[in-house]
Amino acid sequence: MTRNTVHLPQIKVPATYMRGGTSKGVFFNLTDLPLAAQVAGPARDSLLLRVIGSPDPYGKQTDGMGGATSSTSKTVIVASSTQPDHDVDYLFGQVAIDKAFVDWSGNCGNLSAAVGSFAISCGLVDSSRIPENGIAVVRIWQKNISKTIIAHVPITNGEVQETGDFELDGVTFPAAEVQVEFMDPADGEGAMFPTGNLIDDLIVPTDVVAAGVLKATMINAGIPTVFVNAQDLGYSGAELQEAINSDANALTMFETIRAYGAVQMGLISHIDEAAGRQHTPKVAIVAAPINYTSSSGKAIAKGDIDLNVRALSMGKLHHAMMGTAAVAIGTAAAIPGTLVSIAAGNVERESVLFGHPSGTLKVGAQAKRVDGQWKVNKAVMSRSARILMEGWVRVPSDTV
């Protein structure tokens, strides 16, 4: 028997594929989305999952725009700002690769560097704020975490300048430098250190560490992050991706640490909830400087860095460093007594240069105590951004 099946056509949605820092993702102007996806909910999630190509049991995202890594499975929605003294609202969605899940719980610091450029190119920034030549200061409201980000976007002849000679470890080609300021990066609703301590005893199962306890600095700045000493887990702190990502037991261990850290930070009430909150918190290992060779073959001398940091994102060791985790590193390094500061020599500092798998990164942050609580006005780093492709992305019309 022949069965007639009606297959609906695809729809096309205006979109821009951009690199920001060491990440890339699909950017949308909110008003270009189908009406059902212009508000938070299942229709929006369904659209973004299909755009990226998730869930993909093969782990490749072949049938979508994703690149099968946490750094390349990202989406951004930008709109004219609803906040006073801001130009645009920026919403970030981290798309799971093998699950039908979009995590809205945190920001992407790397893609933050591309938001200003995208907003200018889309006409979302008032022309009076864009110089003919110079730097356009774009005021961004980060909706996921309700924070302000300031992007300093270079402008040449009235257009965003993307080419330049600024080099960023983890990115192959040089580009124009975009300075990004993360204002008041600590959690606006709670303390920077949710437990009230610079170092905690993180209680974990004995199959993670024999003693069932790890020293940890748990901080909410940029993004909630759990820092532990590399040597406490048998690492040097100078590992590259393959050393950890090829070790299933290691990945399980780190996910366990992340889950127990999330509970102790008050982000979830039970470790079982961690699977539904993959984007936050991050977990990272820290160590004093040692010589190592980066993934590109570049020699990193211990005398050229303040410490080594390796961080995991969406269950895998990141190839460089997440921008938001870099904010957490810079903030924690500025506060003597944290594990990050101790690894960097435990001295007062206003910036830190750390080693990561792809090379090095410098982050500036100034910390001070106010009414017994640590405060950081802003964290600053330089990234770059570039449009890779623009036009329309297509999805089956029954997606939304």
Side-chain angles (χ1 to χ4, degrees):
M1 181 177 68
T2 301
R3 179 175 298 173
N4 293 323
T5 302
V6 176
H7 294 285
L8 297 175
Q10 292 204 100
I11 59 172
K12 58 182 186 179
V13 181
T16 302
Y17 198 44
M18 293 193 74
R19 177 186 63 77
T22 56
S23 294
K24 58 183 178 180
V26 184
F27 282 61
F28 298 94
N29 184 333
L30 175 65
T31 57
D32 286 335
L33 294 176
L35 284 175
Q38 290 186 20
V39 294
R44 173 180 287 178
D45 287 6
S46 176
L47 172 68
L48 298 182
L49 284 161
R50 196 67 174 90
V51 165
I52 294 298
S54 293
D56 185 353
Y58 303 105
K60 302 299 183 183
Q61 293 178 326
T62 304
D63 199 23
M65 298 294 293
T69 68
S70 67
S71 303
T72 57
S73 188
K74 298 174 181 284
T75 57
V76 169
I77 301 172
V78 181
S80 295
S81 186
T82 57
Q83 301 295 315
D85 302 319
H86 288 75
D87 299 299
V88 291
D89 290 347
Y90 153 43
L91 186 66
F92 169 68
Q94 177 74 56
V95 180
I97 296 171
D98 59 348
K99 299 178 177 65
F101 176 65
V102 182
D103 196 328
W104 301 99
S105 65
N107 178 35
C108 174
N110 275 296
L111 290 188
S112 298
V115 172
S117 301
F118 176 78
I120 292 172
S121 298
C122 286
L124 293 173
V125 178
D126 191 281
S127 60
S128 65
R129 297 188 52 79
I130 305 170
E132 182 66 16
N133 292 283
I135 301 295
V137 179
V138 182
R139 304 162 300 181
I140 301 163
W141 180 251
Q142 215 301 318
K143 291 190 67 174
N144 302 76
I145 58 174
S146 299
K147 291 290 183 179
T148 298
I149 299 171
I150 307 295
H152 298 260
V153 182
I155 303 293
T156 300
N157 297 329
E159 302 287 340
V160 173
Q161 178 188 327
E162 296 180 304
T163 58
D165 55 10
F166 173 73
E167 296 184 355
L168 178 64
D169 285 343
V171 177
T172 305
F173 304 108
E177 180 178 4
V178 178
Q179 188 181 80
V180 186
E181 299 176 295
F182 298 85
M183 310 304 293
D184 185 23
D187 183 0
E189 298 181 357
M192 182 185 300
F193 298 95
T195 66
N197 304 315
L198 301 184
I199 298 178
D200 279 284
D201 287 334
L202 176 59
I203 308 302
V204 296
T206 53
D207 58 353
V208 174
V209 288
V213 62
L214 281 170
K215 294 297 181 184
T217 288
M218 293 178 280
I219 188 171
N220 195 344
I223 200 164
T225 306
V226 179
F227 291 103
V228 297
N229 286 321
Q231 64 181 18
D232 290 346
L233 298 176
Y235 293 112
S236 69
E239 284 74 17
L240 302 185
Q241 278 190 296
E242 186 65 18
I244 291 176
N245 290 346
S246 63
D247 186 341
N249 292 331
L251 295 178
T252 298
M253 175 189 68
F254 280 113
E255 179 58 21
T256 303
I257 293 169
R258 193 185 76 86
Y260 279 87
V263 172
Q264 204 154 324
M265 293 180 78
L267 299 173
I268 57 177
S269 58
H270 190 276
I271 59 169
D272 291 345
E273 298 172 30
R277 191 185 174 113
Q278 295 180 327
H279 185 50
T280 58
K282 303 301 186 188
V283 60
I285 55 175
V286 297
I290 60 171
N291 300 327
Y292 71 99
T293 301
S294 76
S295 57
S296 67
K298 179 180 178 181
I300 308 298
K302 67 178 182 180
D304 293 338
I305 55 177
D306 298 310
L307 79 160
N308 269 309
V309 189
R310 301 296 187 266
L312 284 87
S313 178
M314 302 294 285
K316 295 292 182 68
L317 183 68
H318 196 275
H319 74 284
M321 184 55 62
M322 305 81 80
T324 47
V327 172
I329 293 164
T331 301
I335 300 173
T338 68
L339 291 184
V340 180
S341 177
I342 291 170
N346 210 30
V347 297
E348 291 188 9
R349 62 175 69 247
E350 295 185 354
S351 66
V352 66
L353 180 65
F354 62 88
H356 57 73
S358 294
T360 65
L361 178 62
K362 184 177 182 179
V363 185
Q366 299 179 22
K368 61 181 179 180
R369 290 184 71 91
V370 178
D371 298 327
Q373 298 285 341
W374 282 102
K375 300 289 184 182
V376 173
N377 291 332
K378 64 181 177 181
V380 183
M381 72 182 80
S382 288
R383 316 303 273 166
S384 61
R386 188 171 75 87
I387 292 175
L388 304 177
M389 182 178 289
E390 54 190 340
W392 298 271
V393 63
R394 295 186 181 236
V395 295
S397 55
D398 60 354
T399 299
V400 290

